[in-house]
Amino acid sequence: MPFPRRPLLAALAVLTAFSVSAEPDTRAIEATLNPLGLTAASVTPSPLKGMNEVVTERGIIYMSDDGQYFVAGHLYQSVNGEPVNLTEQKMASINKDKLKGMEGEMIVYPAKEEKYVVTVFTDTSCGYCRKLHSEMQAYNDAGITIRYLAFPRGGERSQNFGEMSAIWASKDRAQAMDDAKKGKLNVEQSPHNDSLVMKHYQLGVAMGVTGTPALVLEDGTMLPGYQPASRLLQFLNSRS
């Protein structure tokens, strides 16, 4: 998000400071979002009376009907004494839909006996991304197929943007990725596909990626950071 997150409960005190309107004022909501560089993809009622769930290109914001108050953070519900992250659940559903139809743009390392598929936003200059890649056989042996999307962390300003562009322009993307992770890809003599890399980067930003590697499970749940194959498999099995 382009502004700092604050705990949701700390902001709820303002709810008594305004009167609840019958319907959300979408123009007022847009007027509040515009200076933040955001637009509303959808505005729907949230579980909090007088607050709306506003889906933007950079995640979910909770906003009052009149657009004067908003909360950037996660909304939790207490279920049988346990906190349930409603924002994370909604983002998972959104993320799953965003990945549909993108299989042809991914670099895929398939498991022979596939149990799970994990999509990874990767950056060739990221140390933990290189560590994950060096352990690819362990993931595949565990039945985990890894699919890569590009996420140069600095966008077009990334020093390795050209390298990632060359990977996705290669006829053999997997080999190009292998070479790049080892520092052996000849970028200057390779074709480039800047638009595709930027498309992946912007998708990652919209899905809430802030660092790499970012792992996206089949249901759209995101796991930030490196996970060794054994730990990732244990987590995936616990959700089955």
Side-chain angles (χ1 to χ4, degrees):
M1 303 296 292
F3 37 78
R5 287 184 173 179
R6 301 186 181 208
L8 184 62
L9 292 179
L12 294 184
V14 302
L15 295 183
T16 58
F18 63 91
S19 59
V20 177
S21 57
E23 296 289 340
D25 186 338
T26 55
R27 289 187 179 182
I29 289 174
E30 287 286 2
T32 299
L33 292 176
N34 287 339
L36 304 174
L38 301 174
T39 56
S42 66
V43 179
T44 56
S46 83
L48 295 174
K49 185 177 181 180
M51 296 291 281
N52 301 281
E53 180 185 86
V54 182
V55 178
T56 77
E57 63 272 35
R58 288 181 178 264
I60 295 172
I61 299 176
Y62 299 95
M63 303 189 71
S64 61
D65 287 340
D66 60 7
Q68 293 185 37
Y69 300 89
F70 66 90
V71 177
H74 286 194
L75 176 62
Y76 291 82
Q77 179 183 11
S78 179
V79 179
N80 298 324
E82 295 293 329
V84 176
N85 192 328
L86 301 182
T87 307
E88 187 176 84
Q89 288 183 349
K90 180 60 178 285
M91 282 302 301
S93 176
I94 294 172
N95 291 344
K96 182 180 179 179
D97 288 341
K98 286 182 181 295
L99 291 178
K100 288 180 179 178
M102 296 197 65
E103 293 80 5
E105 300 178 12
M106 298 176 180
I107 302 174
V108 182
Y109 294 82
K112 289 184 179 179
E113 298 182 11
E114 183 180 280
K115 299 176 183 177
Y116 304 106
V117 177
V118 176
T119 302
V120 179
F121 284 91
T122 191
D123 182 330
T124 55
S125 70
C126 161
Y128 277 107
C129 291
R130 290 195 294 268
K131 181 172 177 58
L132 186 155
H133 192 78
S134 70
E135 299 170 2
M136 188 63 70
Q137 192 61 54
Y139 293 99
N140 291 164
D141 289 346
I144 303 172
T145 289
I146 298 292
R147 312 187 304 185
Y148 280 148
L149 289 172
F151 194 84
R153 289 165 292 172
E156 286 184 302
R157 298 188 300 274
S158 301
Q159 292 184 349
N160 67 324
F161 184 86
E163 180 179 61
M164 300 199 72
S165 178
I167 292 170
W168 262 268
S170 175
K171 292 182 179 179
D172 188 341
R173 292 174 178 171
Q175 184 60 57
M177 179 64 77
D178 292 345
D179 291 342
K181 296 284 187 179
K182 298 175 183 177
K184 297 181 179 179
L185 182 64
N186 191 329
V187 176
E188 294 182 359
Q189 297 182 8
S190 302
H192 287 68
N193 193 337
D194 293 358
S195 61
L196 187 58
V197 172
M198 277 306 299
K199 176 184 176 183
H200 293 182
Y201 174 76
Q202 291 166 352
L203 172 67
V205 171
M207 291 174 62
V209 176
T210 56
T212 55
L215 285 60
V216 185
L217 309 186
E218 291 175 88
D219 67 353
T221 299
M222 186 173 296
L223 297 178
Y226 162 79
Q227 299 282 334
S230 58
R231 186 189 305 165
L232 180 58
L233 178 61
Q234 183 179 21
F235 179 77
L236 292 170
N237 284 339
S238 72
R239 295 165 56 89
S240 299

